[in-house]
Amino acid sequence: MTNFSELGLQEDLLKAISDLGFESPSEVQAQAIPILLEKDTDLVALAQTGTGKTAAFGFPLIQKINLDQRHTQGLILSPTRELCLQITNEFQNYGKYSSGLRTVAVYGGASITDQEKQIKKGAQIIVATPGRMKDMLKRGMIDISQLAYCVLDEADEMLNMGFYEDITDILAHSPKEKSTWLFSATMPKEVSNIAKKFMNSPKEITVGQRNVSTKNVSHEYFLVSARDRYNALKRLVDVNPEVYACVFCRTKRDTQKVAERLIEDGYNAAALHGDLSQSQRDMVMKSFRNKQVQILVATDVAARGIDVDDITHVINYQLPDEVEIYTHRSGRTGRAGKTGKSLVILTKSELRKIKQIERIIGQNFTEESIPSGEEICE
Ligand code: ADP
Ligand code: MG
């Protein structure tokens, strides 16, 4: 199917889709939306980052809930505060013609009483991190006794981050008759355990291993000695003056240090990591999204799932410990049909990781050399 109107979506949603400029459904949307609209069913959908999963569950969810009633009918669990805010934002766009729709985000690091107030005003859809959700349930601040739909977004990431117990607790305390929709890039054991335990003969869809977005990304590595890492980064930025980049470091400390050095050296950079307060993180994300910040230096956790259009380069200042994470990083660029570059700065001892990554992404790297000073001045 190549047309949103063929998927069974209502007029209010089709209008919003047209405003969003989405011309045709992505593969996961084309597969998931008809299943989710048809009848109340459980679904496991496997699709990589950047394939349009938010809309794949967002449109059916908005269509399914009863907007005349204000009680909570849909819950979306998502791994990070940034993602919760992003999904809530997206829902504002999806539901702009669905009058009466209220979506509220609930996450740690912000006032729990403010969030409770928002929910008390009526929220048919809650978008939550598992930790805060469990906390609010325990304190009786949220009533999910009439929950009809539960979405587990980025299920593998939530479990990676240690949310297994919180998730199972929330699911165990929600009504049995609801539908559960699970979205994930990968299917490790913990994810299939959750599916087995809490889902009712779910339908399964898998979207092609290598989605459009990764094909749009070229991968390059640059061999340097450890002490040249930072200068290599500067050079890579200098040769690409129009760069709009996400730079990944392994630790919060390195993230902060690299961002500070870049700022000292006159670059338009900012740091994003878990040691910042929630309002600082929101501000950084906002400035990056507005393009007031050109280079976002981030940890993997802080940047998880972040969807910012037009990122031209992902720069791996250091490779992640687990090579699987590389896919999440490089998925930040080359989105929605655009092209992007994923660059890796590495030392000789890390070379073997490149081979492992090539196997995972099914694409080869090219080895490039760091441009010299003269090349930049030309
Ligand atoms: P995922 O959750 O799979 O990582 P997202 O839902 O964040 O992916 O979507 C990735 C990007 O693709 C977003 O910028 C979104 O606006 C865009 N997008 C989603 N669906 C479509 C579509 N059908 N046509 C064009 N762009 C789309
Ligand atoms: Mg997503």
Side-chain angles (χ1 to χ4, degrees):
M1 262 184 268
T2 51
N3 210 313
F4 274 108
S5 58
E6 296 166 54
L7 300 179
L9 291 168
Q10 293 164 357
E11 215 37 61
D12 53 338
L13 295 170
L14 291 175
K15 236 168 105 182
I17 289 169
S18 142
D19 286 3
L20 280 163
F22 292 1
E23 283 169 10
S24 55
S26 70
E27 198 181 338
V28 68
Q29 291 161 5
Q31 288 198 45
I33 292 173
I35 295 176
L36 298 178
L37 285 179
E38 192 190 328
K39 55 179 168 40
D40 290 340
T41 172
D42 285 357
L43 176 76
V44 171
L46 294 181
Q48 300 278 323
T49 318
T51 51
K53 293 191 286 294
T54 319
F57 61 77
F59 295 133
L61 185 60
I62 294 172
Q63 182 154 329
K64 285 258 169 178
I65 59 170
N66 182 349
L67 293 173
D68 297 330
Q69 307 221 323
R70 308 214 82 180
H71 66 264
T72 301
Q73 301 158 52
L75 169 67
I76 298 158
L77 293 177
S78 159
T80 65
R81 323 176 237 207
E82 277 77 15
L83 270 178
C84 283
L85 287 170
Q86 192 173 297
I87 293 169
T88 310
N89 248 331
E90 289 279 286
F91 271 53
Q92 242 87 66
N93 295 328
Y94 301 167
K96 70 196 259 204
Y97 300 109
S98 310
S99 93
L101 174 69
R102 264 180 58 84
T103 307
V104 171
V106 152
Y107 47 85
S111 157
I112 199 164
T113 44
D114 285 354
Q115 293 177 352
E116 186 191 16
K117 271 187 216 145
Q118 288 298 313
I119 287 166
K120 289 266 142 62
K121 283 193 219 157
Q124 297 103 343
I125 299 176
I126 293 177
V127 188
T129 51
R132 175 56 64 101
M133 184 65 197
K134 188 180 158 190
D135 197 15
M136 294 183 82
L137 278 175
K138 236 179 27 205
R139 299 202 204 180
M141 292 171 153
I142 296 183
D143 174 10
I144 54 167
S145 60
Q146 298 186 71
L147 192 73
Y149 304 97
C150 182
V151 181
L152 305 175
D153 187 33
E154 313 255 359
D156 52 353
E157 289 307 331
M158 284 200 285
L159 294 168
N160 269 343
M161 292 169 69
F163 283 131
Y164 185 84
E165 263 172 47
D166 289 344
I167 295 170
T168 52
D169 221 63
I170 294 162
L171 291 175
H173 288 92
S174 61
K176 261 212 151 67
E177 315 72 61
K178 70 181 180 305
S179 302
T180 305
W181 306 344
L182 185 155
F183 287 78
S184 193
T186 58
M187 191 72 178
K189 211 160 171 197
E190 276 186 309
V191 176
S192 58
N193 277 350
I194 294 237
K196 271 194 215 118
K197 219 160 149 183
F198 294 99
M199 298 174 81
N200 213 337
S201 36
K203 290 210 166 151
E204 288 187 25
I205 59 178
T206 307
V207 167
Q209 261 280 308
R210 279 183 270 305
N211 56 73
V212 189
S213 81
T214 59
K215 277 192 194 143
N216 294 341
V217 178
S218 59
H219 303 264
E220 301 172 7
Y221 70 81
F222 300 83
L223 265 182
V224 300
S225 58
R227 65 185 157 79
D228 289 335
R229 230 181 251 280
Y230 178 72
N231 284 330
L233 172 64
K234 284 206 304 187
R235 284 278 164 82
L236 289 177
V237 172
D238 291 341
V239 278
N240 298 290
E242 299 297 307
V243 79
Y244 180 49
C246 205
V247 176
F248 286 97
C249 299
R250 272 183 39 230
T251 64
K252 296 180 213 175
R253 213 170 138 250
D254 287 344
T255 302
Q256 184 65 32
K257 249 177 32 198
V258 168
E260 275 171 15
R261 283 185 76 176
L262 284 172
I263 293 163
E264 268 168 36
D265 290 338
Y267 294 88
N268 181 2
L272 183 75
H273 55 73
D275 283 348
L276 301 176
S277 72
Q278 183 54 35
S279 60
Q280 285 173 318
R281 287 166 70 164
D282 293 346
M283 241 163 54
V284 169
M285 271 319 298
K286 199 169 161 207
S287 330
F288 186 55
R289 208 168 264 136
N290 294 342
K291 304 200 171 150
Q292 282 163 321
V293 163
Q294 196 185 0
I295 304 165
L296 182 72
V297 189
T299 57
D300 288 299
V301 172
R304 193 128 300 167
I306 288 296
D307 165 45
V308 174
D309 285 337
D310 307 329
I311 291 180
T312 58
H313 292 72
V314 164
I315 304 179
N316 292 263
Y317 184 75
Q318 293 142 333
L319 275 176
D321 287 330
E322 289 175 49
V323 284
E324 286 79 12
I325 306 261
Y326 179 85
T327 336
H328 290 281
R329 290 184 176 183
S330 58
R332 305 274 73 79
T333 186
R335 290 183 154 238
K338 299 187 179 109
T339 57
K341 280 189 176 181
S342 178
L343 312 180
V344 179
I345 301 172
L346 85 173
T347 58
K348 227 174 182 167
S349 63
E350 298 170 299
L351 252 181
R352 62 188 167 78
K353 278 193 172 175
I354 292 291
K355 287 270 164 289
Q356 289 173 284
I357 293 172
E358 285 180 336
R359 235 172 291 134
I360 291 172
I361 62 177
Q363 261 177 281
N364 288 328
F365 278 80
T366 53
E367 182 182 350
E368 303 286 341
S369 48
I370 295 288
S372 65
E374 293 89 65
E375 281 174 282
I376 293 164
C377 294
E378 268 169 13

